[in-house]
């Protein structure tokens, strides 16, 4: 065994982890055995000292910030993190909310709280998340309505109470599994042999003000419970340890949202098309004020939608950890982690659909113009006021079983073997599927005006003479869709790691790994396009509906109470209305989700890896620490997809041919790639308090699941010149990034430092789309052998008898008139224009059809760089302190050109961000105010129209506070406020007046206590 030595002046990484598990306000003795299965190895000096450090002190907020500072200071490369203030007391109730306090980390919020993280401008799909050094699976189901392309981990599934620390590796190292270009995030949980025994329990009451800002039928409880507990004990003279953590949280909340969910249709000012406004001098042009110029770009809204949403969530987390040290040099760990997050959402809407008929409009100035007023003239007033509703219910379940053995074979050699089997599953949690939508309408809409002059758009609806408002007696079911969406990802991973130390300051880290990832994402739906109504309004009992006013639920937006706002809408009993529609049609299966999937993507990735890394310290007057390594990773991809099987082509209308489909079947495609990924880290200790760092590494980010799907899907409609379709490509290359980092750090006082860091990423293989032409399966992968009547014997006979090549009506008439009853030809009659009707099928003697297949492809390269500024200072023994950071991110592909139509390559998610934390901690009080700000950023390059359009998220700042008091050695109380200034979120398009979404959430408050036995 290694001999214990005096700990160095700097607190080491192990102390940071021990601090997370220590007891507040007094020193304690701790024996620690470092788990070498953690991501990354330290230098020889750091590694040994970390194992033999004995005494640590932690003091709440200050202790957490100090531990996080020491994690940064003592790590190889650039590493930041968050450490628990005390066992069971993480700085924020949500892990993502805590992570956003780190420079360079931004979050995407879902349902009012942090869910996914972006690091240094790299989106959630390209940041790898680990639990205790193990790669974690992720699942989602497209909000209940589609297959998932995402690999992003949802932090909302994990409670923070059982987390001891979160480490963010911004620079890579050979020992870390690949997959994180922005960062690799390692979530660490408590280990019983690494901390003092503890038993505690905590309880909170959660008051979410947004629940009260909902109609009664959508509300849950105003106050919901949260309970957590930790049991960690040692037995058998400290050689056997048991740690059990658990938490349960209920949260009832809501949000109100207004927007244009089906997007905006962009046009050039001189364009004539469906949706364009009249050209100067043509009828209707007199109704346009400040018309966009001929070269300006303008956009018209497809719809305008208001919704109120009630959400109920039940989150259960638990972890059991068993540790046994049969000898002084061997530690074994068996752990099981479980999380379940159930979410139910109810939604009611008020919306209008624009059909681009005669209009009156006024516009902002160009070159990118947006409507200030857009009015569609509807006469008579018989269009629909749509008031649909939705029920969404899904459960996210995560399981992870792991086993680890650490063996100090000798003074020079350590080995670690780690195995885990983990899964993440998202599935429907309702008899009606993952998401059920019922359209409900009253056909009383006349002229409809949308006012976009404010951040909150206002709709004005003219009703028919004698009708003053929407009433239950006017309402009936229209269209509907019931979805069944499913996603499951499983990871089985084995990692062998070791370190051989050559002497006091040098060592070799080495290891090998095998990872098997299986992902399934599937989707099925039942849709009824009965937009004209199911039955009549008289068929529905008025008691199903209840009137309300939408403006009541948008108090955070000016204009919500405008006198011009036609905001009356009807809530309804979803179950009764669904049952009534099923009764009227006699088809209950039309109003529930199908059991079968229409899309089913199944992918397996098998990755084999190995690495070596040499670390050394040159003990000069300014000590230089070096780590140089390389990792080899090979991945084999097998992807199968359930695709419709096309059996033939029928020509049934002049301009359209249709595919005939048989039973769907699975088609499989394969691919593979391998990479050598080097890393080099250097840190120079200029003085005991000043460090200069430099790092270089290569990292990869794997493509999305839908991008690498197997099989090919053909669109049903085929034109005269051929058909279209899509397919994935399992041979897609991952994104490959060359990463450069340089940082300066000055630890100028106890718990205090400043740092400046520069980073740059040169990224290859961004995924775009390309098109291939396949004739009868000419690519050799999918032999469709579909024959088209275009160019066949009957077609050529029509040409020979005088039909022009482009006159498909003439050709059809000739074939149906002269070959009826012959193979492939069936005439059914004559239409009102005197043209023959019927079908003409492709024959084996006809030409093979060609298909334009759109497939993802590695198309683009880009560069991004930025700066990170950090300062943390504790003002002596006053109890006051401050922590602040600012991040700048830039790229030549950052800007989307709003004045250009069509697809564009632009990086999404890049934005500047800042954090400011002020705290006071003394005399048993701890007070913290934390402000987070994120600048405006591009979040997507398509909107709900399916047309290339930018989505900009407006700048957003949020203030959170917490106040705690230590009553005695056993009892503490805590108050927390989230979003206390009631900030709203807004997303817009090419012009700031083009609202896409504006969302009101509301503040949330928590009051609780923790008792330590």
């Amino acid at each position: 065994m290694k001999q214990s030595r005096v700990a160095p002046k700097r607190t080491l990484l192990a102390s940071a982890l021990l601090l997370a598990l220590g007891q507040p306000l007094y020193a304690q003795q701790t024996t620690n055995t470092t788990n070498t299965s953690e991501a990354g190895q330290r230098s020889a000096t750091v590694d040994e000292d970390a194992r033999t450090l004995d005494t640590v002190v932690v003091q709440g907020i200050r202790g957490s910030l100090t531990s996080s500072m020491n994690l940064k200071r003592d790590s190889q490369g650039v590493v930041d993190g968050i450490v628990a203030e005390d066992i069971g007391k993480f700085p924020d109730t949500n892990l993502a909310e805590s992570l956003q306090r780190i420079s360079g980390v931004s979050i995407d919020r879902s349902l009012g709280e942090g869910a996914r993280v972006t690091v240094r401008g790299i989106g959630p799909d390209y940041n790898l998340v680990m639990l205790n050094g193990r790669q974690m699976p992720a699942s989602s189901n497209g909000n209940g309505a589609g297959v998932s392309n995402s690999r992003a981990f949802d932090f909302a599934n994990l409670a923070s109470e059982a987390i001891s620390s979160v480490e963010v590796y911004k620079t890579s190292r050979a020992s870390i599994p690949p997959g994180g270009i922005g960062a690799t995030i390692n979530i660490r949980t408590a280990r019983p042999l690494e901390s003092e025994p503890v038993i505690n329990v905590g309880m909170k009451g959660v008051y979410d003000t947004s629940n009260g800002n909902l109609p009664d039928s959508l509300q849950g409880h105003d106050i919901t419970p949260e309970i957590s507990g930790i049991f960690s004990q040692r037995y058998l003279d400290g050689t056997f340890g048991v740690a059990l953590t658990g938490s349960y949280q209920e949260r009832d909340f809501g949000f109100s949202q207004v927007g244009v969910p089906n997007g905006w249709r962009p046009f050039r000012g001189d364009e004539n098309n469906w949706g364009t406004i009249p050209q100067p001098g043509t009828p209707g042009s007199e109704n346009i004020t400040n018309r966009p110029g001929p070269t300006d770009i303008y956009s018209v809204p497809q719809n305008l939608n208001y919704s109120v949403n009630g959400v109920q969530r039940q989150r259960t987390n638990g972890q059991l950890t068993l540790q046994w040290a049969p000898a002084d040099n061997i530690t074994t760990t068996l752990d099981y982690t479980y999380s379940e997050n159930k979410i139910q959402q109810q939604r009611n809407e008020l919306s209008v659909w624009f059909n681009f008929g005669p209009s009156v409009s006024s516009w902002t100035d160009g070159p990118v113009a947006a409507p200030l007023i857009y009015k569609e003239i509807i006469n008579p007033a018989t269009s629909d006021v749509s008031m649909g509703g939705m029920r969404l219910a899904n459960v996210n379940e995560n399981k992870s079983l792991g086993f680890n053995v650490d063996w100090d074979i000798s003074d020079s050699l350590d080995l670690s073997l780690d195995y885990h089997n983990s899964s993440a599953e998202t599935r429907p949690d309702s008899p009606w599927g993952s998401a059920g939508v019922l359209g409900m309408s009253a056909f009383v809409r006349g002229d409809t005006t949308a006012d976009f002059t404010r951040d909150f758009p206002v709709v004005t609806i003219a009703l028919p003479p004698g009708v003053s408002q929407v009433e239950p007696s006017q309402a009936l079911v229209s269209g509907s869709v019931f979805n069944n969406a499913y996603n499951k990802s499983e990871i089985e991973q084995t990692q062998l790691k070791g370190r051989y130390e050559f002497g006091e300051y040098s060592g070799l880290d080495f290891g090998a790994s095998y990872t098997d990832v299986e992902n399934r994402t599937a989707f099925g739906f039942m849709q009824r396009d009965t937009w004209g109504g199911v039955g009549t309004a008289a068929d529905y009992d008025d008691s199903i509906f209840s009137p309300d006013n939408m403006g009541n639920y948008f108090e955070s937006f000016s204009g919500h109470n405008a006198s011009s706002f036609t905001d009356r809408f009807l809530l309804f009993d979803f179950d009764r209305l669904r049952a009534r529609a099923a009764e009227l049609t006699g088809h209950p299966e039309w109003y529930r989700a199908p059991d079968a999937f229409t899309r089913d993507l199944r992918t397996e990735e098998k990755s084999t890896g190995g690495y070596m890394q040499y670390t050394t310290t040159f003990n000069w007057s300014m000590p230089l620490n070096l780590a140089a390594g390389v990792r080899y990773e090979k991945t084999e991809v097998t992807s199968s997809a359930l695709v419709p099987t096309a059996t033939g082509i029928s020509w049934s209308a002049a301009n359209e041919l249709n595919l005939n489909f048989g039973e769907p079947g699975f088609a499989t495609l394969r691919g593979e790639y391998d990479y050598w990924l080097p890393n080099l880290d250097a840190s120079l200790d200029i003085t005991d308090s000043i460090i200069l760092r430099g790092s270089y590494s290569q990292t990869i980010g794997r493509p999305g699941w839908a991008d690498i799907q197997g099989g090919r899907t053909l669109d049903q409609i085929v034109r005269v010149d051929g058909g279209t379709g899509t397919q994935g490509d399992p041979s897609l290359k991952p994104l490959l990034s060359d990463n450069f980092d340089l940082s300066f750090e000055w630890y100028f006082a106890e718990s205090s430092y400043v740092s400046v860091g520069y980073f740059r990423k040169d990224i290859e293989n961004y995924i775009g789309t390309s098109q291939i032409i396949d004739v009868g399966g000419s690519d050799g992968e999918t032999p469709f052998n579909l024959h088209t009547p275009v160019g066949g014997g009957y077609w050529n006979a029509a040409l020979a008898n005088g039909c022009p090549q482009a006159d498909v009506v003439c050709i059809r008439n000739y074939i149906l008139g002269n070959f009826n009853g012959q193979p492939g030809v069936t005439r059914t009659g004559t239409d009102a224009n005197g043209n023959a009707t019927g079908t003409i099928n492709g024959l084996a003697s006809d030409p093979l059809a060609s298909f334009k297949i759109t497939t993802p492809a590695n198309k683009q390269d880009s560069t991004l760089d930025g700066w990170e500024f950090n300062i943390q200072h504790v003002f002596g023994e006053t109890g006051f302190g401050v922590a602040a950071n600012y991040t700048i991110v830039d790229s030549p592909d950052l800007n989307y050109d709003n004045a250009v139509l069509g697809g564009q390559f632009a990086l999404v998610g890049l934005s500047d961000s800042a954090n400011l934390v002020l705290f006071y901690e003394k005399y048993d009080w701890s007070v913290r105010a934390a402000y987070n700000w994120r600048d405006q950023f591009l979040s997507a390059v398509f909107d709900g129209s399916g047309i290339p359009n930018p989505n900009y998220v407006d700048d957003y700042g949020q203030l959170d506070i917490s106040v705690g008091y230590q009553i005695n050695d056993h009892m503490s109380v805590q108050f927390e406020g989230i979003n206390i200034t009631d900030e709203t979120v807004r997303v817009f398009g090419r012009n700031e007046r083009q609202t896409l979404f504006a969302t009101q959430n509301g503040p949330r408050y928590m009051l609780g206590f923790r008792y330590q036995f």
Side-chain angles (χ1 to χ4, degrees), residues 793-807:
Y794 299 144
W795 176 284
N796 292 330
L799 298 182
N801 283 273
C803 285
Q805 177 81 29
D807 193 346

Side-chain angles (χ1 to χ4, degrees), residues 49-376:
D49 289 336
R51 300 176 194 204
T52 57
L53 190 64
D54 290 325
T55 303
V56 295
V57 178
V58 62
Q59 291 180 301
I61 298 173
R62 177 172 175 172
S64 173
L65 292 173
T66 302
S67 301
S68 300
M69 181 190 76
N70 291 328
L71 171 63
K72 179 182 185 71
R73 182 175 187 170
D74 300 318
S75 293
Q76 172 193 324
V78 180
V79 182
D80 285 308
I82 302 288
V83 176
E85 297 174 17
D86 187 12
I87 191 164
K89 178 63 178 71
F90 214 66
D92 294 274
T93 58
N94 175 285
L95 290 183
E97 301 281 352
S98 287
L99 284 169
Q100 71 173 336
R101 314 292 180 201
I102 296 174
S103 60
V105 179
S106 303
I107 65 173
D108 296 330
R109 288 181 169 85
S110 177
L111 300 179
E113 65 177 302
R116 296 171 174 84
V117 299
T118 294
V119 183
R120 292 179 162 182
I122 303 298
D125 288 320
Y126 301 111
N127 294 309
L128 182 70
V129 175
M130 303 190 298
L131 179 66
N132 296 315
R134 302 159 177 164
Q135 180 179 340
M136 283 294 101
S139 66
S140 62
N141 65 358
N143 202 30
V147 298
S148 173
N149 191 44
S150 178
R151 295 176 182 262
F153 186 84
D154 189 347
F155 287 89
N157 292 328
L158 295 182
S160 64
E161 284 79 8
I163 307 303
S164 62
S165 66
V166 180
E167 305 159 342
V168 180
Y169 294 87
K170 296 179 179 178
T171 56
S172 187
R173 57 188 66 173
S175 59
I176 295 179
I181 290 181
T184 297
I185 300 170
N186 186 34
I187 303 168
R188 290 180 51 86
T189 58
R191 293 289 187 257
L193 295 186
E194 297 174 6
S195 63
E196 286 294 305
V198 63
I199 304 174
N200 69 32
V201 63
M203 296 187 68
K204 289 181 184 178
V206 182
Y207 171 57
D208 201 313
T209 61
S210 63
N211 181 68
N213 188 47
L214 292 171
D216 291 343
S217 61
L218 302 186
Q219 287 187 20
H221 295 93
D222 286 334
I223 299 177
T224 53
E226 182 176 329
I227 184 169
S228 62
I230 299 174
F231 173 92
S232 181
Q233 295 290 302
R234 298 176 185 170
Y235 305 95
L236 303 178
D237 297 323
T239 63
F240 183 75
V242 178
L244 178 65
T245 64
S247 68
Y248 176 76
Q249 181 198 66
E250 292 183 5
R251 183 182 166 208
D252 294 347
F253 59 102
F255 63 94
S256 304
Q257 190 173 75
V258 57
V260 182
N262 288 87
W264 293 75
R265 301 186 68 86
F267 301 101
R268 271 178 54 100
D270 58 359
E271 186 175 349
N272 285 304
N273 212 325
W274 182 67
T276 58
I277 58 177
Q279 292 295 327
T282 63
S285 61
E286 69 278 5
N287 295 325
I288 304 173
T289 301
N290 196 31
R291 191 194 192 285
T295 61
D296 290 343
I297 301 298
Y298 70 93
S299 301
V300 294
Q302 183 64 79
N303 63 335
L304 183 55
N305 177 288
Y306 305 82
S307 68
V308 284
N309 302 262
V311 186
Q312 290 79 45
R313 185 185 74 183
Q314 305 85 42
R315 185 176 66 192
T316 304
N317 277 204
Q319 184 181 63
L320 173 65
T321 303
L322 305 176
Q323 284 193 297
W324 180 43
D328 288 344
N329 63 337
I330 298 176
T331 301
T332 62
T333 304
L334 177 68
D335 57 80
Y336 178 75
T337 304
Y338 177 82
S339 73
E340 180 187 74
N341 195 13
K342 291 186 173 184
I343 301 173
Q344 306 89 41
Q345 181 176 339
Q346 303 177 77
R347 177 186 182 101
N348 282 98
E349 299 179 346
L350 168 66
S351 65
V352 295
W353 185 270
F354 294 112
N355 290 307
F356 307 130
S359 63
V360 178
S361 59
S362 63
W363 298 85
T364 66
D365 294 334
V368 179
L372 296 170
I373 301 294
Y374 185 81
K375 176 180 179 180
E376 193 160 285

